[in-house]
Amino acid sequence: MNYAKVTKTQLLSQYKYERQQLIERLQQKGIETPEILDIIYKVPRHFFVDEALSSHAYADHPLPIGHSQTISQPFIVAKMTELLWHNAPHGKVLEIGTGCGYQTAVLAHLFDQVYSVERIASLAGKAYERLKFLEFTNIAFSHSDGFDGWPDNAPYQAIIVTAAPESLPPNLLGQLDVNGCLIIPVGHTGQQQLLKIIRKPNCYEQHVLDPVSFVPLKEGII
Ligand code: SAH
């Protein structure tokens, strides 16, 4: 989407029918929380993908965002966000894998402050521009390796990871606040599970949720 050509108000009013259709599909698939459905309706997903893909933005499937990465399927974004919303205080959230910035925008509507980490500089730069255009004031960005988390602002009440490591990254566990919640896909390609981790005063509670398919969490920055 070439945002030099449209105003924010115009952007937010486009694809209303498709957005409503998406909300109905998400409800059929079991997303029930009104706050989550409301935000998914409001965030202009078509603004976060290449203009040539705009008309596909409200279909419930992943789309390419360049560099062999994908914007997650809306159902997965809604599901992971709903899990965080119900299991963590709504203070500071750390997002690993900014990508196009869509999940970041959803989180920024629901949490006080979002810290978002991306390893690919050009994706991070474009996401920054989009979220600035949408006038968010509660998002901080870091071009760095998400395996390290973002220690300066820890602890986080919520952590969401949108690419899959082969095992749980210890730094992310360490930066999770007590009573906080980490939602993360873990495992090799083709064998990933979505995990929900709750930090208790003396332990981490681990819940294995659904099988999922994410791009791998990779080490180092480019
Ligand atoms: N939430 C994103 C999903 C993007 S796909 C969106 O809505 O668009 C996963 C993202 O994780 C990619 O952008 C990829 O570059 C990023 N990523 C992979 N490994 C990473 C790492 N170690 N640190 C930070 N980001 C990483």
Side-chain angles (χ1 to χ4, degrees):
M1 169 74 33
N2 183 348
Y3 39 87
K5 288 189 206 152
V6 291
T7 65
K8 182 182 157 191
T9 312
Q10 284 169 332
L11 186 72
L12 296 180
S13 67
Q14 292 165 342
Y15 290 106
K16 282 198 163 158
Y17 174 74
E18 288 81 355
R19 292 177 196 213
Q20 191 52 45
Q21 295 281 100
L22 173 61
I23 296 310
E24 285 168 24
R25 220 164 306 127
L26 294 179
Q27 284 175 311
Q28 284 159 10
K29 288 174 123 176
I31 305 295
E32 289 175 345
T33 311
E35 290 88 346
I36 305 299
L37 292 166
D38 185 48
I39 298 308
I40 300 272
Y41 179 79
K42 279 189 187 144
V43 176
R45 194 169 188 261
H46 65 290
F47 181 53
F48 291 86
V49 298
D50 194 273
E51 205 162 359
L53 297 172
S54 295
S55 63
H56 300 276
Y58 297 94
D60 191 22
H61 52 66
L63 291 171
I65 56 170
H67 300 269
S68 309
Q69 305 302 311
T70 52
I71 177 174
S72 303
Q73 176 194 5
F75 172 70
I76 282 289
V77 173
K79 186 77 213 165
M80 291 173 83
T81 310
E82 190 174 54
L83 284 163
L84 279 186
W85 177 254
H86 290 298
N87 290 285
H90 307 150
K92 291 196 279 181
V93 57
L94 174 66
E95 177 192 41
I96 306 299
T98 316
C100 66
Y102 174 71
Q103 170 86 67
T104 322
V106 170
L107 293 170
H109 279 288
L110 295 164
F111 287 80
D112 295 342
Q113 179 68 40
V114 184
Y115 297 90
S116 190
V117 176
E118 172 57 54
R119 69 181 284 272
I120 302 179
S122 74
L123 288 180
K126 282 190 212 155
Y128 172 80
E129 290 301 329
R130 290 187 187 108
L131 294 162
K132 194 170 91 176
F133 181 82
L134 293 175
E135 299 177 301
F136 285 102
T137 54
N138 61 339
I139 304 172
F141 299 86
S142 173
H143 174 225
S144 55
D145 185 342
F147 276 100
D148 300 333
W150 192 342
D152 298 356
N153 312 297
Y156 302 95
Q157 286 75 53
I159 303 181
I160 181 169
V161 186
T162 63
E166 289 177 5
S167 59
L168 279 170
N171 291 324
L172 297 185
L173 292 173
Q175 291 171 28
L176 187 63
D177 203 359
V178 174
N179 296 321
C181 175
L182 162 64
I183 302 292
I184 182 168
V186 174
H188 298 276
T189 305
Q191 304 175 4
Q192 298 166 1
Q193 300 278 358
L194 193 62
L195 302 185
K196 176 177 91 178
I197 313 281
I198 307 285
R199 184 170 192 173
K200 296 290 179 188
N202 299 313
C203 66
Y204 292 89
E205 241 177 50
Q206 180 172 312
H207 305 260
V208 179
L209 308 175
D210 305 320
V212 284
S213 177
F214 280 80
V215 294
L217 194 72
K218 289 192 175 169
E219 286 187 46
I221 60 171
I222 55 172

